[in-house]
Structures are given as structure tokens and as C-alpha cells.
PDB file of all heavy atoms in Angstrom:
ATOM      1  N   ILE A1222       0.828  -1.198   0.000  1.00  0.00           N
ATOM      2  CA  ILE A1222       0.000   0.000   0.000  1.00  0.00           C
ATOM      3  C   ILE A1222       0.868   1.256   0.000  1.00  0.00           C
ATOM      4  O   ILE A1222       0.576   2.237  -0.694  1.00  0.00           O
ATOM      5  CB  ILE A1222      -0.946   0.002   1.215  1.00  0.00           C
ATOM      6  CG1 ILE A1222      -1.951  -1.140   1.115  1.00  0.00           C
ATOM      7  CG2 ILE A1222      -1.676   1.322   1.335  1.00  0.00           C
ATOM      8  CD1 ILE A1222      -2.934  -1.012  -0.025  1.00  0.00           C
ATOM      9  N   ALA A1223       1.945   1.217   0.764  1.00  0.00           N
ATOM     10  CA  ALA A1223       2.855   2.372   0.809  1.00  0.00           C
ATOM     11  C   ALA A1223       3.465   2.619  -0.562  1.00  0.00           C
ATOM     12  O   ALA A1223       3.585   3.770  -1.004  1.00  0.00           O
ATOM     13  CB  ALA A1223       3.942   2.141   1.852  1.00  0.00           C
ATOM     14  N   ALA A1224       3.846   1.534  -1.243  1.00  0.00           N
ATOM     15  CA  ALA A1224       4.457   1.682  -2.562  1.00  0.00           C
ATOM     16  C   ALA A1224       3.452   2.185  -3.593  1.00  0.00           C
ATOM     17  O   ALA A1224       3.810   2.927  -4.513  1.00  0.00           O
ATOM     18  CB  ALA A1224       5.038   0.344  -3.012  1.00  0.00           C
ATOM     19  N   THR A1225       2.202   1.791  -3.446  1.00  0.00           N
ATOM     20  CA  THR A1225       1.186   2.154  -4.429  1.00  0.00           C
ATOM     21  C   THR A1225       0.583   3.527  -4.158  1.00  0.00           C
ATOM     22  O   THR A1225       0.375   4.322  -5.076  1.00  0.00           O
ATOM     23  CB  THR A1225       0.050   1.105  -4.439  1.00  0.00           C
ATOM     24  OG1 THR A1225       0.610  -0.191  -4.666  1.00  0.00           O
ATOM     25  CG2 THR A1225      -0.965   1.414  -5.530  1.00  0.00           C
ATOM     26  N   PHE A1226       0.288   3.819  -2.874  1.00  0.00           N
ATOM     27  CA  PHE A1226      -0.444   5.033  -2.547  1.00  0.00           C
ATOM     28  C   PHE A1226       0.342   6.034  -1.702  1.00  0.00           C
ATOM     29  O   PHE A1226       0.036   7.220  -1.736  1.00  0.00           O
ATOM     30  CB  PHE A1226      -1.728   4.680  -1.782  1.00  0.00           C
ATOM     31  CG  PHE A1226      -2.703   3.869  -2.575  1.00  0.00           C
ATOM     32  CD1 PHE A1226      -2.850   2.515  -2.334  1.00  0.00           C
ATOM     33  CD2 PHE A1226      -3.471   4.456  -3.559  1.00  0.00           C
ATOM     34  CE1 PHE A1226      -3.758   1.757  -3.046  1.00  0.00           C
ATOM     35  CE2 PHE A1226      -4.381   3.709  -4.288  1.00  0.00           C
ATOM     36  CZ  PHE A1226      -4.527   2.355  -4.041  1.00  0.00           C
ATOM     37  N   GLY A1227       1.260   5.554  -0.870  1.00  0.00           N
ATOM     38  CA  GLY A1227       1.935   6.429   0.080  1.00  0.00           C
ATOM     39  C   GLY A1227       2.592   7.621  -0.588  1.00  0.00           C
ATOM     40  O   GLY A1227       3.575   7.469  -1.319  1.00  0.00           O
ATOM     41  N   GLY A1228       2.066   8.814  -0.354  1.00  0.00           N
ATOM     42  CA  GLY A1228       2.647  10.021  -0.915  1.00  0.00           C
ATOM     43  C   GLY A1228       2.289  10.248  -2.368  1.00  0.00           C
ATOM     44  O   GLY A1228       2.681  11.254  -2.949  1.00  0.00           O
ATOM     45  N   ARG A1229       1.521   9.325  -2.982  1.00  0.00           N
ATOM     46  CA  ARG A1229       1.159   9.465  -4.386  1.00  0.00           C
ATOM     47  C   ARG A1229      -0.348   9.567  -4.520  1.00  0.00           C
ATOM     48  O   ARG A1229      -1.082   8.810  -3.897  1.00  0.00           O
ATOM     49  CB  ARG A1229       1.643   8.260  -5.197  1.00  0.00           C
ATOM     50  CG  ARG A1229       3.145   8.043  -5.141  1.00  0.00           C
ATOM     51  CD  ARG A1229       3.531   6.985  -6.155  1.00  0.00           C
ATOM     52  NE  ARG A1229       4.974   6.739  -6.112  1.00  0.00           N
ATOM     53  CZ  ARG A1229       5.532   5.684  -5.573  1.00  0.00           C
ATOM     54  NH1 ARG A1229       4.765   4.757  -5.030  1.00  0.00           N
ATOM     55  NH2 ARG A1229       6.825   5.524  -5.568  1.00  0.00           N
ATOM     56  N   ASN A1230      -0.803  10.468  -5.329  1.00  0.00           N
ATOM     57  CA  ASN A1230      -2.231  10.615  -5.574  1.00  0.00           C
ATOM     58  C   ASN A1230      -2.601   9.746  -6.778  1.00  0.00           C
ATOM     59  O   ASN A1230      -2.196  10.035  -7.903  1.00  0.00           O
ATOM     60  CB  ASN A1230      -2.581  12.079  -5.848  1.00  0.00           C
ATOM     61  CG  ASN A1230      -4.076  12.285  -6.014  1.00  0.00           C
ATOM     62  OD1 ASN A1230      -4.850  11.336  -5.974  1.00  0.00           O
ATOM     63  ND2 ASN A1230      -4.471  13.534  -6.204  1.00  0.00           N
ATOM     64  N   PRO A1231      -3.368   8.672  -6.586  1.00  0.00           N
ATOM     65  CA  PRO A1231      -3.722   7.817  -7.716  1.00  0.00           C
ATOM     66  C   PRO A1231      -4.833   8.403  -8.581  1.00  0.00           C
ATOM     67  O   PRO A1231      -5.195   7.811  -9.603  1.00  0.00           O
ATOM     68  CB  PRO A1231      -4.201   6.531  -7.024  1.00  0.00           C
ATOM     69  CG  PRO A1231      -4.776   7.000  -5.729  1.00  0.00           C
ATOM     70  CD  PRO A1231      -3.936   8.176  -5.317  1.00  0.00           C
ATOM     71  N   LEU A1232      -5.347   9.563  -8.176  1.00  0.00           N
ATOM     72  CA  LEU A1232      -6.479  10.146  -8.894  1.00  0.00           C
ATOM     73  C   LEU A1232      -6.097  11.503  -9.483  1.00  0.00           C
ATOM     74  O   LEU A1232      -6.812  12.498  -9.338  1.00  0.00           O
ATOM     75  CB  LEU A1232      -7.670  10.316  -7.934  1.00  0.00           C
ATOM     76  CG  LEU A1232      -8.182   9.044  -7.262  1.00  0.00           C
ATOM     77  CD1 LEU A1232      -9.258   9.378  -6.232  1.00  0.00           C
ATOM     78  CD2 LEU A1232      -8.729   8.087  -8.314  1.00  0.00           C
ATOM     79  N   ASN A1233      -4.955  11.545 -10.175  1.00  0.00           N
ATOM     80  CA  ASN A1233      -4.539  12.823 -10.754  1.00  0.00           C
ATOM     81  C   ASN A1233      -4.213  12.739 -12.239  1.00  0.00           C
ATOM     82  O   ASN A1233      -3.612  13.664 -12.785  1.00  0.00           O
ATOM     83  CB  ASN A1233      -3.351  13.405  -9.976  1.00  0.00           C
ATOM     84  CG  ASN A1233      -2.118  12.509 -10.050  1.00  0.00           C
ATOM     85  OD1 ASN A1233      -2.137  11.455 -10.678  1.00  0.00           O
ATOM     86  ND2 ASN A1233      -1.036  12.946  -9.398  1.00  0.00           N
ATOM     87  N   ASP A1234      -4.612  11.631 -12.889  1.00  0.00           N
ATOM     88  CA  ASP A1234      -4.407  11.578 -14.341  1.00  0.00           C
ATOM     89  C   ASP A1234      -5.650  12.176 -15.015  1.00  0.00           C
ATOM     90  O   ASP A1234      -6.466  11.483 -15.622  1.00  0.00           O
ATOM     91  CB  ASP A1234      -4.129  10.150 -14.822  1.00  0.00           C
ATOM     92  CG  ASP A1234      -5.155   9.136 -14.365  1.00  0.00           C
ATOM     93  OD1 ASP A1234      -5.924   9.444 -13.433  1.00  0.00           O
ATOM     94  OD2 ASP A1234      -5.207   8.039 -14.951  1.00  0.00           O
ATOM     95  N   TYR A1235      -5.751  13.503 -14.870  1.00  0.00           N
ATOM     96  CA  TYR A1235      -6.956  14.205 -15.309  1.00  0.00           C
ATOM     97  C   TYR A1235      -7.109  14.168 -16.819  1.00  0.00           C
ATOM     98  O   TYR A1235      -6.125  14.074 -17.575  1.00  0.00           O
ATOM     99  CB  TYR A1235      -6.925  15.656 -14.822  1.00  0.00           C
ATOM    100  CG  TYR A1235      -6.932  15.771 -13.319  1.00  0.00           C
ATOM    101  CD1 TYR A1235      -5.781  16.148 -12.621  1.00  0.00           C
ATOM    102  CD2 TYR A1235      -8.089  15.498 -12.598  1.00  0.00           C
ATOM    103  CE1 TYR A1235      -5.784  16.246 -11.240  1.00  0.00           C
ATOM    104  CE2 TYR A1235      -8.108  15.593 -11.214  1.00  0.00           C
ATOM    105  CZ  TYR A1235      -6.956  15.959 -10.553  1.00  0.00           C
ATOM    106  OH  TYR A1235      -6.963  16.040  -9.182  1.00  0.00           O
ATOM    107  N   THR A1236      -8.355  14.252 -17.244  1.00  0.00           N
ATOM    108  CA  THR A1236      -8.674  14.207 -18.668  1.00  0.00           C
ATOM    109  C   THR A1236      -9.890  15.069 -18.912  1.00  0.00           C
ATOM    110  O   THR A1236     -10.469  15.647 -17.976  1.00  0.00           O
ATOM    111  CB  THR A1236      -8.940  12.761 -19.116  1.00  0.00           C
ATOM    112  OG1 THR A1236      -9.141  12.727 -20.529  1.00  0.00           O
ATOM    113  CG2 THR A1236     -10.181  12.194 -18.429  1.00  0.00           C
ATOM    114  N   LEU A1237     -10.317  15.167 -20.163  1.00  0.00           N
ATOM    115  CA  LEU A1237     -11.536  15.884 -20.482  1.00  0.00           C
ATOM    116  C   LEU A1237     -12.692  15.203 -19.757  1.00  0.00           C
ATOM    117  O   LEU A1237     -12.933  14.005 -19.943  1.00  0.00           O
ATOM    118  CB  LEU A1237     -11.783  15.850 -21.993  1.00  0.00           C
ATOM    119  CG  LEU A1237     -12.998  16.636 -22.497  1.00  0.00           C
ATOM    120  CD1 LEU A1237     -12.790  18.127 -22.283  1.00  0.00           C
ATOM    121  CD2 LEU A1237     -13.254  16.323 -23.969  1.00  0.00           C
ATOM    122  N   PRO A1238     -13.414  15.910 -18.878  1.00  0.00           N
ATOM    123  CA  PRO A1238     -14.423  15.260 -18.016  1.00  0.00           C
ATOM    124  C   PRO A1238     -15.681  14.854 -18.781  1.00  0.00           C
ATOM    125  O   PRO A1238     -16.754  15.430 -18.600  1.00  0.00           O
ATOM    126  CB  PRO A1238     -14.703  16.339 -16.968  1.00  0.00           C
ATOM    127  CG  PRO A1238     -14.440  17.630 -17.663  1.00  0.00           C
ATOM    128  CD  PRO A1238     -13.291  17.363 -18.590  1.00  0.00           C
ATOM    129  N   TYR A1239     -15.535  13.848 -19.632  1.00  0.00           N
ATOM    130  CA  TYR A1239     -16.682  13.327 -20.372  1.00  0.00           C
ATOM    131  C   TYR A1239     -17.363  12.210 -19.578  1.00  0.00           C
ATOM    132  O   TYR A1239     -18.563  12.209 -19.381  1.00  0.00           O
ATOM    133  CB  TYR A1239     -16.223  12.818 -21.741  1.00  0.00           C
ATOM    134  CG  TYR A1239     -17.376  12.467 -22.659  1.00  0.00           C
ATOM    135  CD1 TYR A1239     -18.141  13.463 -23.238  1.00  0.00           C
ATOM    136  CD2 TYR A1239     -17.686  11.141 -22.941  1.00  0.00           C
ATOM    137  CE1 TYR A1239     -19.204  13.154 -24.067  1.00  0.00           C
ATOM    138  CE2 TYR A1239     -18.748  10.810 -23.774  1.00  0.00           C
ATOM    139  CZ  TYR A1239     -19.501  11.825 -24.335  1.00  0.00           C
ATOM    140  OH  TYR A1239     -20.545  11.512 -25.148  1.00  0.00           O
ATOM    141  N   HIS A1240     -16.546  11.225 -19.108  1.00  0.00           N
ATOM    142  CA  HIS A1240     -17.060  10.172 -18.227  1.00  0.00           C
ATOM    143  C   HIS A1240     -16.699  10.450 -16.772  1.00  0.00           C
ATOM    144  O   HIS A1240     -17.442  10.081 -15.862  1.00  0.00           O
ATOM    145  CB  HIS A1240     -16.495   8.800 -18.624  1.00  0.00           C
ATOM    146  CG  HIS A1240     -16.813   8.415 -20.032  1.00  0.00           C
ATOM    147  ND1 HIS A1240     -18.088   8.180 -20.459  1.00  0.00           N
ATOM    148  CD2 HIS A1240     -16.005   8.224 -21.106  1.00  0.00           C
ATOM    149  CE1 HIS A1240     -18.071   7.860 -21.744  1.00  0.00           C
ATOM    150  NE2 HIS A1240     -16.826   7.879 -22.143  1.00  0.00           N
ATOM    151  N   ALA A1241     -15.516  11.055 -16.574  1.00  0.00           N
ATOM    152  CA  ALA A1241     -15.024  11.324 -15.225  1.00  0.00           C
ATOM    153  C   ALA A1241     -13.881  12.323 -15.325  1.00  0.00           C
ATOM    154  O   ALA A1241     -13.369  12.607 -16.419  1.00  0.00           O
ATOM    155  CB  ALA A1241     -14.554  10.039 -14.558  1.00  0.00           C
ATOM    156  N   LEU A1242     -13.481  12.862 -14.166  1.00  0.00           N
ATOM    157  CA  LEU A1242     -12.387  13.833 -14.151  1.00  0.00           C
ATOM    158  C   LEU A1242     -11.049  13.194 -14.490  1.00  0.00           C
ATOM    159  O   LEU A1242     -10.141  13.875 -14.974  1.00  0.00           O
ATOM    160  CB  LEU A1242     -12.303  14.485 -12.768  1.00  0.00           C
ATOM    161  CG  LEU A1242     -13.452  15.425 -12.378  1.00  0.00           C
ATOM    162  CD1 LEU A1242     -13.241  15.927 -10.960  1.00  0.00           C
ATOM    163  CD2 LEU A1242     -13.555  16.595 -13.361  1.00  0.00           C
ATOM    164  N   THR A1243     -10.887  11.908 -14.217  1.00  0.00           N
ATOM    165  CA  THR A1243      -9.615  11.226 -14.488  1.00  0.00           C
ATOM    166  C   THR A1243      -9.834  10.076 -15.464  1.00  0.00           C
ATOM    167  O   THR A1243     -10.957   9.572 -15.625  1.00  0.00           O
ATOM    168  CB  THR A1243      -8.994  10.661 -13.192  1.00  0.00           C
ATOM    169  OG1 THR A1243      -9.810   9.595 -12.702  1.00  0.00           O
ATOM    170  CG2 THR A1243      -8.887  11.745 -12.126  1.00  0.00           C
ATOM    171  N   ARG A1244      -8.750   9.651 -16.083  1.00  0.00           N
ATOM    172  CA  ARG A1244      -8.823   8.513 -17.011  1.00  0.00           C
ATOM    173  C   ARG A1244      -8.880   7.189 -16.266  1.00  0.00           C
ATOM    174  O   ARG A1244      -9.350   6.191 -16.792  1.00  0.00           O
ATOM    175  CB  ARG A1244      -7.604   8.527 -17.939  1.00  0.00           C
ATOM    176  CG  ARG A1244      -7.599   9.691 -18.912  1.00  0.00           C
ATOM    177  CD  ARG A1244      -6.399   9.637 -19.823  1.00  0.00           C
ATOM    178  NE  ARG A1244      -5.151   9.795 -19.075  1.00  0.00           N
ATOM    179  CZ  ARG A1244      -4.092   9.005 -19.213  1.00  0.00           C
ATOM    180  NH1 ARG A1244      -4.131   7.959 -20.022  1.00  0.00           N
ATOM    181  NH2 ARG A1244      -3.001   9.243 -18.522  1.00  0.00           N
ATOM    182  N   GLY A1245      -8.360   7.150 -15.019  1.00  0.00           N
ATOM    183  CA  GLY A1245      -8.353   5.919 -14.245  1.00  0.00           C
ATOM    184  C   GLY A1245      -7.251   4.967 -14.636  1.00  0.00           C
ATOM    185  O   GLY A1245      -7.200   3.836 -14.129  1.00  0.00           O
ATOM    186  N   ALA A1246      -6.351   5.390 -15.509  1.00  0.00           N
ATOM    187  CA  ALA A1246      -5.293   4.486 -15.983  1.00  0.00           C
ATOM    188  C   ALA A1246      -4.332   4.124 -14.861  1.00  0.00           C
ATOM    189  O   ALA A1246      -3.863   2.980 -14.776  1.00  0.00           O
ATOM    190  CB  ALA A1246      -4.539   5.137 -17.141  1.00  0.00           C
ATOM    191  N   LYS A1247      -4.030   5.085 -13.979  1.00  0.00           N
ATOM    192  CA  LYS A1247      -3.113   4.794 -12.880  1.00  0.00           C
ATOM    193  C   LYS A1247      -3.715   3.769 -11.920  1.00  0.00           C
ATOM    194  O   LYS A1247      -3.034   2.852 -11.456  1.00  0.00           O
ATOM    195  CB  LYS A1247      -2.774   6.081 -12.127  1.00  0.00           C
ATOM    196  CG  LYS A1247      -1.915   7.061 -12.905  1.00  0.00           C
ATOM    197  CD  LYS A1247      -1.665   8.326 -12.120  1.00  0.00           C
ATOM    198  CE  LYS A1247      -0.813   8.086 -10.898  1.00  0.00           C
ATOM    199  NZ  LYS A1247      -0.463   9.350 -10.223  1.00  0.00           N
ATOM    200  N   VAL A1248      -5.002   3.925 -11.645  1.00  0.00           N
ATOM    201  CA  VAL A1248      -5.673   2.975 -10.760  1.00  0.00           C
ATOM    202  C   VAL A1248      -5.731   1.595 -11.403  1.00  0.00           C
ATOM    203  O   VAL A1248      -5.446   0.577 -10.761  1.00  0.00           O
ATOM    204  CB  VAL A1248      -7.085   3.473 -10.414  1.00  0.00           C
ATOM    205  CG1 VAL A1248      -7.859   2.407  -9.644  1.00  0.00           C
ATOM    206  CG2 VAL A1248      -7.009   4.758  -9.604  1.00  0.00           C
ATOM    207  N   ASP A1249      -6.083   1.540 -12.690  1.00  0.00           N
ATOM    208  CA  ASP A1249      -6.162   0.255 -13.395  1.00  0.00           C
ATOM    209  C   ASP A1249      -4.819  -0.465 -13.379  1.00  0.00           C
ATOM    210  O   ASP A1249      -4.746  -1.661 -13.086  1.00  0.00           O
ATOM    211  CB  ASP A1249      -6.604   0.471 -14.848  1.00  0.00           C
ATOM    212  CG  ASP A1249      -8.046   0.916 -14.957  1.00  0.00           C
ATOM    213  OD1 ASP A1249      -8.769   0.789 -13.956  1.00  0.00           O
ATOM    214  OD2 ASP A1249      -8.437   1.407 -16.025  1.00  0.00           O
ATOM    215  N   ALA A1250      -3.759   0.274 -13.680  1.00  0.00           N
ATOM    216  CA  ALA A1250      -2.430  -0.339 -13.732  1.00  0.00           C
ATOM    217  C   ALA A1250      -1.995  -0.806 -12.347  1.00  0.00           C
ATOM    218  O   ALA A1250      -1.403  -1.886 -12.205  1.00  0.00           O
ATOM    219  CB  ALA A1250      -1.422   0.664 -14.296  1.00  0.00           C
ATOM    220  N   GLY A1251      -2.304  -0.007 -11.321  1.00  0.00           N
ATOM    221  CA  GLY A1251      -1.917  -0.399  -9.970  1.00  0.00           C
ATOM    222  C   GLY A1251      -2.626  -1.659  -9.502  1.00  0.00           C
ATOM    223  O   GLY A1251      -2.016  -2.552  -8.907  1.00  0.00           O
ATOM    224  N   LEU A1252      -3.919  -1.762  -9.772  1.00  0.00           N
ATOM    225  CA  LEU A1252      -4.661  -2.960  -9.375  1.00  0.00           C
ATOM    226  C   LEU A1252      -4.180  -4.193 -10.126  1.00  0.00           C
ATOM    227  O   LEU A1252      -4.020  -5.276  -9.543  1.00  0.00           O
ATOM    228  CB  LEU A1252      -6.162  -2.750  -9.621  1.00  0.00           C
ATOM    229  CG  LEU A1252      -6.870  -1.748  -8.719  1.00  0.00           C
ATOM    230  CD1 LEU A1252      -8.309  -1.557  -9.163  1.00  0.00           C
ATOM    231  CD2 LEU A1252      -6.825  -2.202  -7.263  1.00  0.00           C
ATOM    232  N   ARG A1253      -3.959  -4.042 -11.412  1.00  0.00           N
ATOM    233  CA  ARG A1253      -3.522  -5.196 -12.200  1.00  0.00           C
ATOM    234  C   ARG A1253      -2.119  -5.632 -11.786  1.00  0.00           C
ATOM    235  O   ARG A1253      -1.804  -6.838 -11.759  1.00  0.00           O
ATOM    236  CB  ARG A1253      -3.574  -4.850 -13.697  1.00  0.00           C
ATOM    237  CG  ARG A1253      -3.424  -6.033 -14.617  1.00  0.00           C
ATOM    238  CD  ARG A1253      -4.463  -7.088 -14.360  1.00  0.00           C
ATOM    239  NE  ARG A1253      -5.817  -6.650 -14.655  1.00  0.00           N
ATOM    240  CZ  ARG A1253      -6.893  -7.385 -14.468  1.00  0.00           C
ATOM    241  NH1 ARG A1253      -6.790  -8.603 -13.941  1.00  0.00           N
ATOM    242  NH2 ARG A1253      -8.092  -6.919 -14.744  1.00  0.00           N
ATOM    243  N   HIS A1254      -1.266  -4.673 -11.442  1.00  0.00           N
ATOM    244  CA  HIS A1254       0.096  -5.020 -10.998  1.00  0.00           C
ATOM    245  C   HIS A1254       0.055  -5.776  -9.675  1.00  0.00           C
ATOM    246  O   HIS A1254       0.796  -6.745  -9.479  1.00  0.00           O
ATOM    247  CB  HIS A1254       0.922  -3.742 -10.856  1.00  0.00           C
ATOM    248  CG  HIS A1254       2.298  -3.981 -10.284  1.00  0.00           C
ATOM    249  ND1 HIS A1254       3.310  -4.598 -11.002  1.00  0.00           N
ATOM    250  CD2 HIS A1254       2.819  -3.713  -9.050  1.00  0.00           C
ATOM    251  CE1 HIS A1254       4.395  -4.685 -10.247  1.00  0.00           C
ATOM    252  NE2 HIS A1254       4.122  -4.160  -9.060  1.00  0.00           N
ATOM    253  N   ARG A1255      -0.810  -5.367  -8.766  1.00  0.00           N
ATOM    254  CA  ARG A1255      -0.865  -5.988  -7.437  1.00  0.00           C
ATOM    255  C   ARG A1255      -1.577  -7.330  -7.443  1.00  0.00           C
ATOM    256  O   ARG A1255      -1.177  -8.257  -6.749  1.00  0.00           O
ATOM    257  CB  ARG A1255      -1.558  -5.051  -6.450  1.00  0.00           C
ATOM    258  CG  ARG A1255      -0.707  -3.870  -6.029  1.00  0.00           C
ATOM    259  CD  ARG A1255      -1.378  -3.110  -4.915  1.00  0.00           C
ATOM    260  NE  ARG A1255      -1.602  -3.955  -3.748  1.00  0.00           N
ATOM    261  CZ  ARG A1255      -2.475  -3.688  -2.788  1.00  0.00           C
ATOM    262  NH1 ARG A1255      -3.215  -2.609  -2.874  1.00  0.00           N
ATOM    263  NH2 ARG A1255      -2.605  -4.489  -1.758  1.00  0.00           N
ATOM    264  N   PHE A1256      -2.661  -7.437  -8.211  1.00  0.00           N
ATOM    265  CA  PHE A1256      -3.498  -8.636  -8.117  1.00  0.00           C
ATOM    266  C   PHE A1256      -3.461  -9.525  -9.353  1.00  0.00           C
ATOM    267  O   PHE A1256      -3.995 -10.635  -9.318  1.00  0.00           O
ATOM    268  CB  PHE A1256      -4.946  -8.220  -7.820  1.00  0.00           C
ATOM    269  CG  PHE A1256      -5.092  -7.467  -6.531  1.00  0.00           C
ATOM    270  CD1 PHE A1256      -5.305  -6.100  -6.515  1.00  0.00           C
ATOM    271  CD2 PHE A1256      -4.990  -8.135  -5.316  1.00  0.00           C
ATOM    272  CE1 PHE A1256      -5.421  -5.398  -5.329  1.00  0.00           C
ATOM    273  CE2 PHE A1256      -5.101  -7.445  -4.115  1.00  0.00           C
ATOM    274  CZ  PHE A1256      -5.321  -6.084  -4.125  1.00  0.00           C
ATOM    275  N   GLY A1257      -2.825  -9.055 -10.417  1.00  0.00           N
ATOM    276  CA  GLY A1257      -2.645  -9.888 -11.597  1.00  0.00           C
ATOM    277  C   GLY A1257      -3.952 -10.442 -12.131  1.00  0.00           C
ATOM    278  O   GLY A1257      -4.956  -9.736 -12.236  1.00  0.00           O
ATOM    279  N   SER A1258      -3.948 -11.746 -12.435  1.00  0.00           N
ATOM    280  CA  SER A1258      -5.141 -12.396 -12.994  1.00  0.00           C
ATOM    281  C   SER A1258      -5.871 -13.232 -11.934  1.00  0.00           C
ATOM    282  O   SER A1258      -6.643 -14.131 -12.282  1.00  0.00           O
ATOM    283  CB  SER A1258      -4.749 -13.284 -14.172  1.00  0.00           C
ATOM    284  OG  SER A1258      -3.796 -14.267 -13.754  1.00  0.00           O
ATOM    285  N   ALA A1259      -5.617 -12.969 -10.651  1.00  0.00           N
ATOM    286  CA  ALA A1259      -6.254 -13.739  -9.571  1.00  0.00           C
ATOM    287  C   ALA A1259      -7.774 -13.629  -9.660  1.00  0.00           C
ATOM    288  O   ALA A1259      -8.321 -12.592 -10.054  1.00  0.00           O
ATOM    289  CB  ALA A1259      -5.773 -13.237  -8.212  1.00  0.00           C
ATOM    290  N   ARG A1260      -8.434 -14.714  -9.270  1.00  0.00           N
ATOM    291  CA  ARG A1260      -9.890 -14.734  -9.246  1.00  0.00           C
ATOM    292  C   ARG A1260     -10.382 -14.794  -7.793  1.00  0.00           C
ATOM    293  O   ARG A1260      -9.722 -15.376  -6.924  1.00  0.00           O
ATOM    294  CB  ARG A1260     -10.425 -15.926 -10.048  1.00  0.00           C
ATOM    295  CG  ARG A1260     -10.080 -15.850 -11.527  1.00  0.00           C
ATOM    296  CD  ARG A1260     -10.708 -16.987 -12.300  1.00  0.00           C
ATOM    297  NE  ARG A1260     -12.159 -16.937 -12.300  1.00  0.00           N
ATOM    298  CZ  ARG A1260     -12.901 -16.151 -13.078  1.00  0.00           C
ATOM    299  NH1 ARG A1260     -12.314 -15.324 -13.943  1.00  0.00           N
ATOM    300  NH2 ARG A1260     -14.221 -16.171 -13.009  1.00  0.00           N
ATOM    301  N   ILE A1261     -11.528 -14.193  -7.557  1.00  0.00           N
ATOM    302  CA  ILE A1261     -12.044 -14.084  -6.195  1.00  0.00           C
ATOM    303  C   ILE A1261     -12.227 -15.455  -5.562  1.00  0.00           C
ATOM    304  O   ILE A1261     -11.915 -15.663  -4.383  1.00  0.00           O
ATOM    305  CB  ILE A1261     -13.383 -13.315  -6.201  1.00  0.00           C
ATOM    306  CG1 ILE A1261     -13.136 -11.860  -6.588  1.00  0.00           C
ATOM    307  CG2 ILE A1261     -14.072 -13.390  -4.832  1.00  0.00           C
ATOM    308  CD1 ILE A1261     -14.415 -11.047  -6.759  1.00  0.00           C
ATOM    309  N   GLU A1262     -12.741 -16.414  -6.320  1.00  0.00           N
ATOM    310  CA  GLU A1262     -13.017 -17.734  -5.764  1.00  0.00           C
ATOM    311  C   GLU A1262     -11.758 -18.550  -5.526  1.00  0.00           C
ATOM    312  O   GLU A1262     -11.816 -19.607  -4.877  1.00  0.00           O
ATOM    313  CB  GLU A1262     -13.984 -18.510  -6.664  1.00  0.00           C
ATOM    314  CG  GLU A1262     -13.457 -18.820  -8.047  1.00  0.00           C
ATOM    315  CD  GLU A1262     -13.772 -17.740  -9.067  1.00  0.00           C
ATOM    316  OE1 GLU A1262     -13.840 -16.546  -8.688  1.00  0.00           O
ATOM    317  OE2 GLU A1262     -13.955 -18.089 -10.248  1.00  0.00           O
ATOM    318  N   ASP A1263     -10.616 -18.087  -6.040  1.00  0.00           N
ATOM    319  CA  ASP A1263      -9.362 -18.817  -5.878  1.00  0.00           C
ATOM    320  C   ASP A1263      -8.374 -18.018  -5.029  1.00  0.00           C
ATOM    321  O   ASP A1263      -7.210 -17.814  -5.407  1.00  0.00           O
ATOM    322  CB  ASP A1263      -8.752 -19.146  -7.246  1.00  0.00           C
ATOM    323  CG  ASP A1263      -9.604 -20.118  -8.035  1.00  0.00           C
ATOM    324  OD1 ASP A1263     -10.182 -21.023  -7.411  1.00  0.00           O
ATOM    325  OD2 ASP A1263      -9.718 -19.971  -9.265  1.00  0.00           O
ATOM    326  N   LEU A1264      -8.835 -17.551  -3.884  1.00  0.00           N
ATOM    327  CA  LEU A1264      -7.981 -16.889  -2.900  1.00  0.00           C
ATOM    328  C   LEU A1264      -7.895 -17.777  -1.672  1.00  0.00           C
ATOM    329  O   LEU A1264      -8.688 -18.688  -1.477  1.00  0.00           O
ATOM    330  CB  LEU A1264      -8.565 -15.519  -2.531  1.00  0.00           C
ATOM    331  CG  LEU A1264      -8.745 -14.524  -3.686  1.00  0.00           C
ATOM    332  CD1 LEU A1264      -9.439 -13.259  -3.191  1.00  0.00           C
ATOM    333  CD2 LEU A1264      -7.420 -14.190  -4.337  1.00  0.00           C
TER     334      LEU A1264
END
């Protein structure tokens, strides 16, 4: 969590606010890096 969020704002990749204020690319990449292709039923 410290490496992903500590001191870093994951919600600052701003874009034209058509769907949202941010593109969400940083959040998407962070989640995929941490959890990979894991499935909920296989934890």
C-alpha cells in the first residue's frame, strides 16, 4: 500500500471530463500489478 499510494495521488491523471475527471489508468495499472489475474473464488 505504501508503494502504491503512500505520498502518491492515484487520482490525478486528469482528462476531459466526459465520463469522469480522471482517465483511471493509474488505478487500473496499480490494481492489475498488485493482483494480476487472480480470481475471487481462488484466494
Side-chain angles (χ1 to χ4, degrees):
I1222 295 294
T1225 305
F1226 296 104
R1229 301 190 181 105
N1230 184 357
L1232 301 174
N1233 63 0
D1234 52 344
Y1235 297 107
T1236 185
L1237 183 66
Y1239 189 73
H1240 301 295
L1242 291 177
T1243 68
R1244 292 181 296 132
K1247 291 178 67 174
V1248 173
D1249 291 345
L1252 291 175
R1253 192 57 65 182
H1254 175 72
R1255 286 188 59 200
F1256 300 106
S1258 58
R1260 296 184 65 79
I1261 292 174
E1262 64 270 32
D1263 294 323
L1264 301 175

